[in-house]
Amino acid sequence: MGNLIVDGKRTDGRGLLDLRPLKLEAGTIKNAAGSSYIEHGKNKIYVAVYGPKDSHRYGTSMEKAVIRCRYHMSPFSTDERKSPAPSRREIEISKVIRDALESSLILDEFPKTLLDIYVEVLQSDGGSRSASITAASVALADAGIPMKDLVEAVAVGKVDGTLVVDLSDKEDKEGEVDLPIAFLLNENMITLLQMDGKMTVEEFKEAVNMAKEAAMKIKEKQKEALGKKYFEKVDEK
Amino acid sequence: MGNLIVDGKRTDGRGLLDLRPLKLEAGTIKNAAGSSYIEHGKNKIYVAVYGPKDSHRYGTSMEKAVIRCRYHMSPFSTDERKSPAPSRREIEISKVIRDALESSLILDEFPKTLLDIYVEVLQSDGGSRSASITAASVALADAGIPMKDLVEAVAVGKVDGTLVVDLSDKEDKEGEVDLPIAFLLNENMITLLQMDGKMTVEEFKEAVNMAKEAAMKIKEKQKEALGKKYFEKVDEK
Amino acid sequence: MGNLIVDGKRTDGRGLLDLRPLKLEAGTIKNAAGSSYIEHGKNKIYVAVYGPKDSHRYGTSMEKAVIRCRYHMSPFSTDERKSPAPSRREIEISKVIRDALESSLILDEFPKTLLDIYVEVLQSDGGSRSASITAASVALADAGIPMKDLVEAVAVGKVDGTLVVDLSDKEDKEGEVDLPIAFLLNENMITLLQMDGKMTVEEFKEAVNMAKEAAMKIKEKQKEALGKKYFEKVDEK
Amino acid sequence: MMPKKGPIISNLRKDQILKSLSEGRHIDGRDLTSQRPLEITPGIIEKAEGSASVKLGGTHVIAGVKVEVDTPFPDTPSEGILIVNAEVLPTASEYQEPGPPDEDSIELARVVDRGIRESKMVDFSKLVIEPAKQVYTVFVDISVLSMDGNLFDASSYAAVAALMTSSFNVYRMEGDVPVKTEDKMAMPLADLAVSLTFAKIGGSLVIDPTWEEEGIMDARLTAVYDSDGRLCAMQKGGSGGLKIDDVFQVVDAGKAKYLDIRKKIVEAVENAKSGN
Amino acid sequence: MMPKKGPIISNLRKDQILKSLSEGRHIDGRDLTSQRPLEITPGIIEKAEGSASVKLGGTHVIAGVKVEVDTPFPDTPSEGILIVNAEVLPTASEYQEPGPPDEDSIELARVVDRGIRESKMVDFSKLVIEPAKQVYTVFVDISVLSMDGNLFDASSYAAVAALMTSSFNVYRMEGDVPVKTEDKMAMPLADLAVSLTFAKIGGSLVIDPTWEEEGIMDARLTAVYDSDGRLCAMQKGGSGGLKIDDVFQVVDAGKAKYLDIRKKIVEAVENAKSGN
Amino acid sequence: MMPKKGPIISNLRKDQILKSLSEGRHIDGRDLTSQRPLEITPGIIEKAEGSASVKLGGTHVIAGVKVEVDTPFPDTPSEGILIVNAEVLPTASEYQEPGPPDEDSIELARVVDRGIRESKMVDFSKLVIEPAKQVYTVFVDISVLSMDGNLFDASSYAAVAALMTSSFNVYRMEGDVPVKTEDKMAMPLADLAVSLTFAKIGGSLVIDPTWEEEGIMDARLTAVYDSDGRLCAMQKGGSGGLKIDDVFQVVDAGKAKYLDIRKKIVEAVENAKSGN
């Protein structure tokens, strides 16, 4: 402990509550029903949404669209080359991303269908699951899936004993706590919550509130990306 | 050869025809249609039966229930940790267990259904396939599958040149012959028979007869286990 | 470069345009709809054709039979033992063989069916994909699948700077170019073409013409094999 | 990729469960803050270096510990290795197909792993034979025999109790080769992780959900506490969300409860040890 | 897990087969104790260290032997290694899907393996380059090209004949590294395993069942004999049972028959060797 | 094994495409010998040793290069190793299922590999740390993000541009162990492979087919040229055949065109390098 925060500044110069640079685009993949691209820190992630499409497969429901989600990292996305086969980490993250998004969507209009969300991490940095959720929600909106609200996610953490927002890779690895959270803000809901590392119950509550503030900022970026796509389309006419 | 039998006693103190301690229970798994638990020597094995359930899967039959069987060892069940993926040995044993049980059952009442038998070896010792068959037959009875008779199995073997009943792990590994056999006693039928090691045709016949005697003892344990479950249920009322 | 061709003769004594010994048989596998066996150089390859058979599987077509093809090498077929699991090379060759054969066949009489072509290489030598195509076409004819013409394949190559026909294993490995080609001769069509190694456009054209001459010779062997089977069948009556 | 099919709860049954919860009772009669009967039996697998059977209501889980030696990871040359695997066996329910671990089994293993790892329960620095050369690898394998909800807590208790009763053969380096000795060492432990799982069902927040309750819950939240009551791992599950206030209520309720469970684990372990 | 689909035998055909058997004849005209024509051709795969083609009626099997060097198993430092694999190829019948070995292929490989291993046919003590360091690993791979019943015997004969005609390059240790020499050694053999398979169909006990007969049989019993007529491996197959008396009849019938087959194998091997 | 399902082109659309081609235009308005807009952006993945994004019309491909050290293959002790993998991601189209590489992805990887390898573009003799002991292994991984036809050319350009902008840490042997240094070396290159793909559709031979065009083509032919305009790899695809004259026409047309593409690749690489 000791050198990740100096004079209230983090190793990349950010203040405790600052987000890393975040760039979001909607409509990035030709064949997809909806798609997006996010750069958040060094994360570079594409998301494509396909469906809802009719399916007679085992596992569909008479009551709603069933969501499938794959979070996948390209072999060159990490410092050491990653095997292209899905790791246990990728399988778990695919599941929690699906769980983080489902409650934002209104799926009962689409019984007996499948809705596929494909996340491809071309380059990974701290907070890749959070960035994936933020981007996937934009891709779902781009696909016109009815939703209650956008979902945005960010990792809060504890570094040198201090709570900070939007962990970098270095902070994630050398810090004490990593706490990724996703919000459905207009319902005051948490749709993803994981935690690694030790903190008191009081610290935890403070961290959640910090994450919520950050999520509000991210939501603006989501709206911008969707607005820009709509605006440009009008422009093209 | 030489030190597995001393003064007519085996390394664990048993006589040539003695079974190892054997404990059997029926009705051990909540969700299963039928279930059982066996301790035989150091073997500790659970069996669950599910079905018969309707299925449109490829492989079902218009004439009878089709049986599927999985024999599986938990990773901690052996001296060296076992990979959880099914080995070729486990796949072969799954097949011979299925073949050992099928002829005891009356399956033509259940066309187009599947009957699943799942065997989990929590701890393995000599004769784990035999103990699995003995337990699985109890689980099938517990599930109410119509049957001609219970099936019981035991390994006979040759150790220090002498035929003995119910091989221990040490006798299996250091002895000359391992001969697991399953019986459908009221039809005088053999439903499993495998052999490794050298013996004359005459020794083989003697060994089969010894196994049959042992099977009769095991059948009593099976009946006890089923009776106890029934009795306790009545008791609970 | 330098010792693969001496005085116009190749290491196995052949001239530049000579084929290796080639033996073909039709009707070699009991259960198959059509089958064949080829020895070409040291290649020893069996082909079995099953179907067309009705199928409701995903992937069938309302317009024609769908072909499936597997090219597989037995573990003992190579100098070093080959793992029995399909390699990426075998998967690619399965695909190009399928593509090489399909255009010779008239498949629109068989909608919603599958036609399976199984190639087993018991011993491999240079040109095993070409020999497989030559043999598979005979097996398809033996199965009575309607066809425009037989397909035959051969590898031409460049060795010591010279173009030669029907590369041996040694020439394939030590030479400069390997160019396997399959022909549908009566349509003047090429149905397989792959190339490894460097040659000019002019050399390439000359090589194609040399391959065509060789294919004509191979076609005679195919006809002989089919004729012989027919003749022997008549003979048996 | 895709959520697994589970039991279908009829609307009638669903209404019964919700009504019971709204009256402050689980459908099995417990009050909302009580766990089902918990039975922890360490030491049942003699061939394992440590083991425990845990029954939590109708859920039955076995954990086994095996210790092997291996080269350490390059970035942690002076630490032993922990590998947690879980398999929901096809014995557990009719919805469980045999095969490689599905996403539920993988999530289960990873959450149990994080609870153990992040609580710093295992002292990895004492699992070293020779730094950068050979360390102990601790495998914790979890076999779920019977499924009746709340696998996370049952599996966590089984893993923790198995580790607490583990001992294994010491290895000594002879040149570059690790050689097994007859000496035994106990698993080096520094803390104790206690997992507590809550579910949000209808308007109620309840502890230790049954499988039926999980079938109709909005969401689930698992919180793992160290011996000082600090949070050391969390995992939200289920396709619904949780109000922020619900989350805060869970972490408070867990903190009020964890010492009870901790005591049950410690007692079971001590009984097993004194029984030896 | 689940039995594989095979050909459906019509009731008419079934009746024909049973009637023929009850009159003392297989449906192909053989008497009940006669094998189908057996053709054993060793040496057909020049790239293999040993090989054999076996045709038994319409069943056609190829076995190939490859020899590699590897470290021995820790518990048998002074023994070579034998690995038997089998693949029922999709060429063999329309019911055989391509893919990794199914339970039938695995059982086939393991029964052939046990016959060879338990007869002590291969002298593993002579397959050692340096004890505890490097030994020979003998791979026997079996490719079933065509299926017409009784794969166990056909595959066993092919494996045995391939081993009997195998020879391979000797390795010598140079320091810790095994180096291939130009010297050849023959596979060290000490016995000869002969497999015989019987089927119980209706009331009849018959040798060498065809695929059609296997489709309607109650059960199958394979017995493997060493050179002295002792049993060294057995495997019962099929979903039915066998009366104890039937089993005794099989082992007696096999003992009366095995020398005939042994002779055919030995002759084929000697012809192949003298042909070289 | 079996061809993959792709988009169904309606008869109306098919007629439109064919009519357009017969009038000398792709359906997107290009003339028959013009590629779609090509955008090559090297260096987009900072964590990779080299990378490039390639957009060719609606097709979007990323290639990344990673360099590791490993023992060389026994038959090439003084050469580094090249491994090319490709995955058509499920993002690319609704017909692409997630899972291990299918035959299309495998063919794609192998054709890109052959173009690079056979053009002798990478100088493997300079990828050696110590002969017979340690060499560099160059992984080229291709992720197809978006599918609109002609994956072979797009993937090849991406792989080539990624290699041309690659540099990596030098390793030095310390005893038997390769140790990473801070020194960097550029990928050693000796040539440049340019891939060109043509399709035969109806009676027309066209360059750079779109996905729709591939859906109705008879066959495809990819030819790869080295810097001197020699052919160094070819691959015919598709279930139809090509007249011999068509094949000759393709290799001539490719030779007339390859320098244009080569120039675009070189410019993109130089821009990226000067941008650093």
Side-chain angles (χ1 to χ4, degrees), chain C residues 75 79-82, chain E residues 48-50 64-74 76-85 113 116-117 122-130 133-141 163 166-171 178 180 185 187-188:
Chain C
D79 287 325
E80 301 294 308
R81 178 176 183 272
K82 195 207 145 283
Chain E
E49 268 80 86
V65 172
K66 300 292 277 187
V67 178
E68 298 183 355
V69 298
D70 206 344
T71 51
F73 291 121
T76 52
S78 296
E79 291 186 12
I81 295 170
L82 173 71
I83 296 175
V84 179
N85 280 301
D113 182 308
I116 293 168
R117 194 180 299 277
V122 175
D123 186 345
F124 290 108
S125 70
K126 296 196 176 139
L127 289 170
V128 179
I129 304 169
E130 183 176 333
K133 293 222 166 145
Q134 290 286 328
V135 299
Y136 296 101
T137 297
V138 177
F139 287 93
V140 178
D141 286 289
L163 284 168
S166 289
S167 73
F168 54 92
N169 285 81
V170 174
Y171 280 72
K180 197 186 217 174
M185 69 181 269
M187 186 67 62

Side-chain angles (χ1 to χ4, degrees), chain B residues 92 190-191 194 196 205, chain E residues 110 114 235-236 242 252:
Chain B
E92 186 199 352
I190 288 176
T191 65
Q194 298 184 289
D196 282 352
K205 291 179 181 173
Chain E
R110 286 177 58 83
R114 286 204 287 266
Q235 182 90 343
K236 177 254 166 191
L242 288 166
D252 288 334

Side-chain angles (χ1 to χ4, degrees), chain C residues 60 67-69 88 92 95 98 103 187-191 193-199 205, chain F residues 1 5 84-85 103-104 107 110 114 118-119 191 226 231-236 242-244 252:
Chain C
T60 54
I67 302 183
R68 299 189 297 185
C69 178
R88 302 199 330 160
E92 185 200 352
K95 181 179 198 285
R98 191 185 70 220
S103 60
E187 306 217 343
N188 217 29
M189 282 274 200
I190 288 176
T191 65
L193 193 163
Q194 298 184 289
M195 197 193 94
D196 282 352
K198 292 198 179 188
M199 65 192 341
K205 291 180 182 173
Chain F
M1 287 283 302
K5 286 245 168 178
V84 179
N85 280 301
E103 58 170 34
D104 290 346
E107 186 192 21
R110 285 177 57 84
R114 285 205 287 265
E118 300 297 337
S119 70
D191 204 324
D226 71 6
L231 289 162
C232 48
M234 298 183 75
Q235 182 90 343
K236 177 254 166 190
L242 288 166
K243 296 277 182 196
I244 294 177
D252 288 334

Side-chain angles (χ1 to χ4, degrees), chain A residues 12-43:
Chain A
D12 54 5
R14 280 187 290 157
L16 304 182
L17 303 178
D18 293 346
L19 294 173
R20 289 169 295 174
L22 192 161
K23 182 183 142 192
L24 253 171
E25 248 175 276
T28 51
I29 292 177
K30 183 182 160 89
N31 297 308
S35 57
S36 62
Y37 173 61
I38 190 166
E39 289 184 12
H40 188 175
K42 287 181 191 157
N43 287 299

Side-chain angles (χ1 to χ4, degrees), chain C residues 147-199:
Chain C
M147 54 173 64
K148 299 174 191 162
D149 197 2
L150 290 161
V151 177
E152 37 286 314
V154 69
V156 187
K158 198 164 109 185
V159 167
D160 287 0
T162 304
L163 297 178
V164 299
V165 164
D166 192 18
L167 290 181
S168 71
D169 217 9
K170 188 179 171 68
E171 289 169 339
D172 181 4
K173 280 177 187 137
E174 302 178 16
E176 294 108 70
V177 175
D178 177 27
L179 173 64
I181 316 185
F183 293 92
L184 190 64
L185 286 172
N186 72 351
E187 306 217 343
N188 217 29
M189 282 274 200
I190 288 176
T191 65
L192 171 132
L193 193 163
Q194 298 184 289
M195 197 193 94
D196 282 352
K198 292 198 179 188
M199 65 192 341

Side-chain angles (χ1 to χ4, degrees), chain F:
Chain F
M1 287 283 302
M2 191 166 175
K4 188 160 68 191
K5 286 245 168 178
I8 291 157
I9 317 289
S10 71
N11 283 332
L12 177 62
R13 182 68 179 163
K14 187 173 168 181
D15 290 344
Q16 287 173 342
I17 296 171
L18 291 174
K19 179 158 178 293
S20 177
L21 291 173
S22 71
E23 292 165 354
R25 294 269 156 202
H26 285 270
I27 190 73
D28 56 16
R30 285 177 287 153
D31 64 54
L32 300 186
T33 60
S34 295
Q35 261 189 346
R36 289 170 291 175
L38 172 63
E39 194 185 305
I40 303 173
T41 316
I44 60 151
I45 306 296
E46 297 86 353
K47 291 197 176 184
E49 269 79 87
S51 64
S53 160
V54 166
K55 291 184 181 171
L56 181 60
T59 290
H60 188 186
V61 169
I62 314 286
V65 172
K66 300 293 275 187
V67 178
E68 298 183 354
V69 298
D70 206 345
T71 51
F73 292 121
D75 51 339
T76 53
S78 296
E79 291 186 11
I81 296 169
L82 172 71
I83 296 175
V84 179
N85 280 301
E87 184 173 357
V88 182
L89 299 170
T91 57
S93 88
E94 64 179 300
Y95 305 99
Q96 193 63 33
E97 294 282 329
D102 59 17
E103 58 170 34
D104 290 346
S105 293
I106 288 170
E107 186 192 21
L108 176 58
R110 285 177 57 84
V111 171
V112 171
D113 181 308
R114 285 205 287 265
I116 292 168
R117 194 180 298 276
E118 300 297 337
S119 70
K120 307 199 188 306
M121 180 174 164
V122 174
D123 185 347
F124 291 109
S125 70
K126 295 195 177 140
L127 290 170
V128 179
I129 304 169
E130 183 176 332
K133 293 221 167 147
Q134 290 286 329
V135 299
Y136 296 102
T137 298
V138 177
F139 287 94
V140 179
D141 286 289
I142 295 164
S143 291
V144 178
L145 274 172
S146 174
M147 170 60 162
D148 195 20
N150 199 5
L151 293 184
F152 281 16
D153 289 352
S155 299
S156 175
Y157 305 155
V160 164
L163 284 168
M164 290 173 76
T165 49
S166 289
S167 73
F168 53 92
N169 285 81
V170 173
Y171 280 73
R172 209 175 7 234
M173 296 301 284
E174 295 192 358
D176 274 356
V177 182
V179 174
K180 199 187 215 172
T181 72
E182 290 304 303
D183 296 343
K184 292 268 185 181
M185 70 182 267
M187 186 66 61
L189 298 174
D191 204 324
L192 197 169
V194 176
S195 173
L196 280 165
T197 295
F198 294 79
K200 183 72 184 274
I201 310 169
S204 306
L205 209 50
V206 309
I207 202 170
D208 184 27
T210 67
W211 201 21
E212 277 189 324
E213 288 171 341
E214 288 179 351
I216 62 167
M217 74 181 176
D218 300 312
R220 187 191 68 212
L221 187 61
T222 299
V224 185
Y225 296 84
D226 71 6
S227 296
D228 298 325
R230 283 180 296 186
L231 289 162
C232 48
M234 298 183 75
Q235 182 90 343
K236 177 254 166 190
S239 62
L242 288 166
K243 296 277 182 196
I244 294 177
D245 285 345
D246 288 335
V247 170
F248 290 176
Q249 202 182 321
V250 162
V251 294
D252 288 334
K255 185 156 182 201
K257 186 86 187 170
Y258 86 97
L259 279 173
D260 288 359
I261 315 298
R262 193 181 188 284
K263 204 174 143 207
K264 288 188 192 174
I265 297 173
V266 169
E267 277 175 6
V269 165
E270 282 173 3
N271 285 342
K273 283 187 175 166
S274 65
N276 283 349

Side-chain angles (χ1 to χ4, degrees), chain D residues 41-273:
Chain D
T41 316
I44 60 152
I45 307 295
E46 297 87 352
K47 291 197 175 184
E49 268 79 87
S51 63
S53 160
V54 166
K55 291 183 183 174
L56 181 59
T59 290
H60 188 185
V61 170
I62 313 287
V65 172
K66 300 292 277 187
V67 178
E68 299 183 355
V69 297
D70 206 344
T71 51
F73 292 120
D75 52 338
T76 53
S78 296
E79 292 187 11
I81 295 169
L82 172 71
I83 295 175
V84 179
N85 281 302
E87 184 174 356
V88 182
L89 299 170
T91 58
S93 89
E94 63 180 300
Y95 305 99
Q96 193 64 34
E97 293 282 329
D102 60 18
E103 59 169 35
D104 290 347
S105 293
I106 288 169
E107 186 192 20
L108 175 59
R110 285 176 58 85
V111 172
V112 171
D113 181 306
R114 285 205 287 265
I116 292 168
R117 194 180 297 276
E118 300 297 336
S119 69
K120 308 202 188 301
M121 179 175 166
V122 175
D123 185 346
F124 290 109
S125 70
K126 296 197 176 138
L127 289 171
V128 179
I129 305 169
E130 184 176 333
K133 293 221 168 146
Q134 290 286 329
V135 299
Y136 297 101
T137 297
V138 177
F139 287 93
V140 178
D141 286 289
I142 295 165
S143 292
V144 178
L145 275 172
S146 173
M147 170 60 163
D148 196 20
N150 198 5
L151 292 185
F152 282 15
D153 289 352
S155 300
S156 176
Y157 305 156
V160 164
L163 284 168
M164 290 173 76
T165 49
S166 289
S167 73
F168 53 93
N169 286 82
V170 173
Y171 280 72
R172 210 176 5 238
M173 296 300 283
E174 297 193 356
D176 273 357
V177 182
V179 175
K180 199 186 215 171
T181 72
E182 289 304 301
D183 295 345
K184 292 268 185 183
M185 70 181 269
M187 186 66 61
L189 298 175
D191 204 324
L192 197 170
V194 176
S195 173
L196 280 165
T197 295
F198 295 78
K200 183 72 184 274
I201 310 170
S204 306
L205 209 49
V206 309
I207 202 171
D208 185 25
T210 66
W211 200 21
E212 277 189 325
E213 288 171 341
E214 289 179 350
I216 63 167
M217 73 181 177
D218 299 313
R220 187 191 67 211
L221 187 60
T222 300
V224 185
Y225 296 84
D226 72 5
S227 296
D228 298 325
R230 282 180 297 187
L231 289 163
C232 48
M234 297 183 75
Q235 182 91 343
K236 177 253 166 190
S239 61
L242 288 166
K243 296 276 181 199
I244 293 177
D245 285 345
D246 289 336
V247 170
F248 290 176
Q249 204 182 318
V250 162
V251 293
D252 288 334
K255 184 155 185 203
K257 187 85 188 170
Y258 85 97
L259 279 173
D260 288 359
I261 314 296
R262 194 181 187 286
K263 203 173 144 208
K264 288 189 192 174
I265 298 173
V266 169
E267 277 174 9
V269 166
E270 281 173 1
N271 286 340
K273 283 186 175 165

